[in-house]
């Protein structure tokens, strides 16, 4: 049954990506008649499948997150070099993606290395189709997360930086700093031997139970605001980007999973029950 679900997940991922790619291709720059968006979509999945092969043979997930981050960077670079006219808005969007991907990719890679592995892959990495599905899902994550950014970069419509650009940049900076601070605080908390087996509830974690995820969602909203002025028609499908990030973190692999783990580990403790009762699950305060 797991193999059937894995195959379904693979085909659904490809189907969703194809539909979004077709929509974003309207008004998109083409290279030799092929929309740049289509090239970026192919790279998103192609890199994951290429890296899946050694990962499966070695039964390792250690370079899974790093691959996702590097794919983001590769795709925006491909998009930038493929368009005939590069605007300041394009450069700014690409730069923000590069900074975000470099920081998050290195952070997750080091975290998995220090932990010796990722518990999410403990069983999955030994099953060919299940492991392939996770890499395929990462391809979907890369493409949908970048949808708004790619729609703007490859758009035939170019505009100078405006109020949307500065508001978008400000929102992105706020979300990025918030996420980095939250990750730093949690890493520092975990490194302290006195906190072994305890849960974090200080700093930004006293305002939100998942401040890092809040920052992640906010920064992609910033990208969407920055990209909005140069989108037309079907390119607005790119708004799936911040919506997908929020859905992924709230309903799939983020908040729900961690909340369940927290309840299992500390649900019986009065301190944890009080923390849950007085602290917002996502939005600070």
């Amino acid at each position: 049954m797991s193999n059937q679900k894995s195959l379904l997940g693979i085909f659904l991922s490809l189907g969703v990506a194809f539909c979004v790619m077709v929509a974003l291709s309207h008004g998109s720059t083409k290279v030799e008649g092929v929309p740049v968006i289509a090239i970026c979509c192919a790279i998103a999945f192609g890199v994951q499948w290429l890296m899946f092969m050694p990962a499966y043979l070695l039964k390792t997930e250690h370079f899974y997150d790093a691959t996702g981050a590097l794919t983001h960077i590769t795709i925006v670079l491909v998009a930038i070099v493929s368009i005939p006219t590069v605007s300041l808005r394009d450069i700014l969007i690409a730069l923000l993606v590069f900074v975000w991907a470099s920081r998050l990719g290195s952070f997750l890679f080091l975290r998995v290395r220090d932990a010796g592995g990722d518990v999410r892959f403990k069983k999955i990495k030994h099953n060919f189709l299940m492991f392939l599905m996770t890499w395929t899902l990462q391809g979907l994550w890369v493409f949908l997360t970048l949808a708004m950014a790619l729609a703007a970069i490859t758009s035939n419509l170019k505009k100078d930086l405006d109020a949307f650009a500065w508001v978008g940049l400000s929102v992105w900076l706020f979300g990025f700093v918030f996420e980095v601070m939250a990750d730093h605080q949690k890493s520092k908390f975990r490194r302290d031997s006195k906190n072994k087996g305890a849960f974090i509830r200080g700093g930004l974690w006293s305002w939100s139970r998942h401040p890092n995820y809040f920052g992640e969602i906010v920064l992609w909203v910033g990208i969407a605001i920055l990209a909005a002025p140069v989108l037309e028609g079907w390119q607005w499908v790119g708004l799936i980007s911040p919506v997908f990030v929020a859905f992924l973190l709230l309903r799939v692999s983020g908040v729900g999973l961690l909340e369940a783990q927290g309840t299992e580990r500390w649900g019986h403790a009065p301190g944890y029950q009080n923390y849950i009762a007085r602290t917002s699950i996502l939005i600070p305060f």
Side-chain angles (χ1 to χ4, degrees), residues 4 20 35-36 40 55 59 69-70 84 87 163 180-181 191 193-194 196 199 202 211 223 241 243 245 253 264:
Q4 293 176 346
V20 173
V36 174
C40 293
K59 300 296 185 293
L70 288 173
S87 68
V180 171
M181 288 179 61
R191 286 195 298 266
S193 58
K194 293 184 295 184
K196 186 175 182 180
F199 61 92
I223 292 286
S241 172
V243 174
V245 170
S253 64
E264 182 179 350

Side-chain angles (χ1 to χ4, degrees), residues 103-199:
R103 202 289 305 186
L104 185 63
S106 59
F107 172 77
L108 294 176
F109 174 78
L110 292 174
R111 188 176 70 177
V112 171
R113 186 199 65 181
D114 294 342
D118 189 329
V119 293
R120 297 174 301 171
F121 294 89
K122 188 173 183 180
K123 294 181 179 179
I124 293 175
K125 61 187 176 183
H126 297 285
N127 182 295
F128 181 87
L129 283 177
M130 289 182 67
F131 202 31
L132 177 60
M133 181 189 69
T134 63
W135 284 87
T136 303
L137 287 174
Q138 179 156 262
L140 179 67
W141 168 65
V142 170
F143 183 63
L144 293 190
T145 301
L146 284 177
M148 197 70 171
L150 291 176
I153 292 173
T154 65
S155 176
N156 288 320
L157 177 63
K158 299 297 179 184
K159 292 184 179 181
D160 294 331
L161 296 181
D162 50 17
F164 278 92
W166 302 121
V167 171
L169 175 60
S170 299
V171 172
W172 184 91
L173 285 171
F174 173 78
F176 180 76
V177 171
F178 208 89
E179 180 179 16
V180 171
M181 288 179 61
D183 284 337
H184 173 72
Q185 289 173 356
K186 191 168 187 178
S187 296
K188 184 178 179 181
F189 177 85
R190 285 178 167 175
R191 286 195 298 266
D192 191 336
S193 58
K194 293 184 295 184
N195 297 323
K196 186 175 182 180
F199 61 92

Side-chain angles (χ1 to χ4, degrees), residues 16-268:
V16 170
F18 178 79
C19 292
V20 173
M21 180 269 291
V22 171
L24 298 185
S25 294
H26 292 275
S28 171
T29 300
K30 296 182 179 180
V31 175
E32 299 294 331
V34 179
V36 174
I37 286 288
I39 298 172
C40 293
C41 184
I43 292 173
F45 288 97
V47 171
Q48 309 316 308
W49 291 334
L50 181 65
M51 297 305 294
F52 158 74
M53 292 185 283
Y56 178 71
L57 292 175
L58 297 173
K59 300 296 185 293
T60 181
E61 71 280 16
H62 279 236
F63 47 88
Y64 180 82
D65 293 311
T67 299
L70 288 173
T71 307
H72 278 90
I73 294 172
T74 300
I75 287 176
V76 292
L77 288 177
V78 168
I80 285 290
V81 301
S82 300
I83 58 179
T85 303
V86 180
S87 68
L88 288 176
R89 189 185 306 270
D90 299 331
I91 295 173
L92 181 57
I93 290 174
L95 179 62
L96 297 184
V97 171
F98 176 81
V99 171
W100 166 82
S102 299
R103 202 289 305 186
L104 185 63
S106 59
F107 172 77
L108 294 176
F109 174 78
L110 292 174
R111 188 176 70 177
V112 171
R113 186 199 65 181
D114 294 342
D118 189 329
V119 293
R120 297 174 301 171
F121 294 89
K122 188 173 183 180
K123 294 181 179 179
I124 293 175
K125 61 187 176 183
H126 297 285
N127 182 295
F128 181 87
L129 283 177
M130 289 182 67
F131 202 31
L132 177 60
M133 181 189 69
T134 63
W135 284 87
T136 303
L137 287 174
Q138 179 156 262
L140 179 67
W141 168 65
V142 170
F143 183 63
L144 293 190
T145 301
L146 284 177
M148 197 70 171
L150 291 176
I153 292 173
T154 65
S155 176
N156 288 320
L157 177 63
K158 299 297 179 184
K159 292 184 179 181
D160 294 331
L161 296 181
D162 50 17
F164 278 92
W166 302 121
V167 171
L169 175 60
S170 299
V171 172
W172 184 91
L173 285 171
F174 173 78
F176 180 76
V177 171
F178 208 89
E179 180 179 16
V180 171
M181 288 179 61
D183 284 337
H184 173 72
Q185 289 173 356
K186 191 168 187 178
S187 296
K188 184 178 179 181
F189 177 85
R190 285 178 167 175
R191 286 195 298 266
D192 191 336
S193 58
K194 293 184 295 184
N195 297 323
K196 186 175 182 180
F199 61 92
I200 184 172
R201 49 182 163 178
L204 297 181
W205 300 82
S206 66
W207 299 353
S208 166
R209 304 206 297 272
H210 304 281
N212 52 339
Y213 293 155
F214 171 74
E216 177 77 358
I217 293 170
V218 168
L219 71 85
W220 285 108
V221 171
I223 292 286
I225 296 172
L226 177 56
V230 295
L231 302 188
E232 296 179 309
W234 282 100
Q235 290 177 327
W236 284 103
V237 170
L239 281 172
I240 196 174
S241 172
V243 174
F244 175 74
V245 170
F247 173 76
L248 188 67
L249 293 178
L250 291 173
R251 299 296 181 186
V252 182
S253 64
V255 171
L257 179 63
L258 293 179
E259 287 289 303
Q261 291 176 351
T263 299
E264 182 179 350
R265 295 184 65 183
W266 305 296
H268 61 283

